Amino acid sequence: MSNVVALIGRPNVGKSSLFNALTGSNTALVANHFGLTRDRQYGNVIGTSLVLIDTGGISKESSDLSRAIRVQTNLAIEEADILFFMVDVKEGLLPLDKEISQFLRKSNKPIYLLVNKVDGNKQESLVSDFEKLGFKETFAISTAHNKGVSDLIDILLNIDTIKKTDNQTSRQANKQANRQANKQTKTNKQTSKQASKQQQHKQENTQATKT
């Protein structure tokens, strides 16, 4: 089974733009409007068997739309093996980012922090502010300028390769186990057959002695 990666974050941090860049498609709608991505969208990462999920932005609003997006996002988190948590360097580290990070940690899944909209030196100097979230895997990217996207693809390619190797190893182990089980079954049948013959021979000898 393929690994699944989910894009999580506030509205308008660039999740859909990154989804399109990583999948080489224009499936996800991109615009600066809250709620544009409501349902989960799926695609395959370029050159891999990995499945990428684009989700709507998590907000503090209590509207029906916000609740629907939350439900879809929670489903994506449950489905995913890896989480890409996106934030916006230009808006800075917001309280909601901290809340989302704490929520994602409860999933006990690998989390990569993607600091988006790092378009120049000024934004580069602000990336360190997000170290307060405590994630070891942090990447400065700019989906608008395609900065850092190739690095993410390389990471995903590596994950995909490891996954395929693990699957191949697992399949080989299963085949070996099946061969051993079949061999043992065959041996058991032969042993049972021999025991049956010996029992039959013993009964015949006993009958002959009585006669």
Side-chain angles (χ1 to χ4, degrees):
M1 183 178 178
S2 300
N3 267 332
V4 178
V5 182
L7 299 174
I8 311 295
R10 294 184 291 102
N12 305 319
V13 295
K15 297 184 299 298
S16 294
S17 294
L18 182 60
F19 177 90
N20 288 340
L22 293 178
T23 60
S25 69
N26 293 310
T27 304
L29 299 175
V30 179
N32 191 29
H33 298 292
F34 168 67
L36 194 63
T37 303
R38 171 174 174 172
D39 298 324
R40 291 164 290 163
Q41 298 197 51
Y42 294 78
N44 283 103
V45 177
I46 298 172
T48 77
S49 61
L50 298 177
V51 176
L52 188 66
I53 309 177
D54 184 26
T55 65
I58 298 175
S59 72
K60 284 191 172 183
E61 292 187 15
S62 58
S63 65
D64 290 341
L65 177 59
S66 295
R67 285 192 290 270
I69 290 174
R70 282 249 183 195
V71 169
Q72 292 294 322
T73 300
N74 288 341
L75 290 173
I77 293 170
E78 290 177 10
E79 188 176 357
D81 302 292
I82 298 168
L83 304 177
F84 274 8
F85 174 32
M86 291 189 70
V87 292
D88 183 341
V89 72
K90 292 182 178 179
E91 291 188 354
L93 179 58
L94 302 182
L96 183 54
D97 291 322
K98 296 179 181 179
E99 290 181 24
I100 295 173
S101 70
Q102 292 170 359
F103 174 68
L104 294 181
R105 279 197 173 90
K106 294 178 182 179
S107 69
N108 293 318
K109 296 180 179 182
I111 301 172
Y112 292 76
L113 178 64
L114 311 183
V115 185
N116 191 28
K117 304 184 183 180
V118 183
D119 302 329
N121 293 332
K122 180 180 179 181
Q123 289 78 33
E124 283 277 4
S125 65
L126 300 174
V127 173
S128 59
D129 290 345
F130 293 88
E131 292 177 358
K132 297 173 184 177
L133 295 175
F135 294 109
K136 293 181 180 179
E137 302 289 348
T138 301
F139 299 88
I141 67 172
S142 172
T143 54
H145 296 87
N146 209 34
K147 174 184 176 182
V149 175
S150 61
D151 293 334
L152 293 180
I153 291 177
D154 287 341
I155 290 171
L156 293 171
L157 282 169
N158 185 51
I159 291 172
D160 190 45
T161 299
I162 293 173
K163 179 68 174 180
K164 288 179 178 177
T165 300
D166 289 344
N167 287 341
Q168 184 177 5
T169 302
S170 178
R171 284 195 297 269
Q172 290 174 345
N174 288 336
K175 286 181 180 179
Q176 181 65 23
N178 288 334
R179 283 196 293 267
Q180 291 292 344
N182 291 335
K183 184 178 180 180
Q184 186 62 47
T185 299
K186 186 176 181 180
T187 300
N188 291 342
K189 287 182 178 180
Q190 290 175 344
T191 302
S192 177
K193 189 175 181 180
Q194 289 173 355
S196 179
K197 286 183 178 181
Q198 290 174 354
Q199 181 65 24
Q200 184 179 1
H201 184 64
K202 183 177 179 180
Q203 289 175 351
E204 290 174 352
N205 287 340
T206 300
Q207 186 66 30
T209 301
K210 288 181 179 180
T211 303

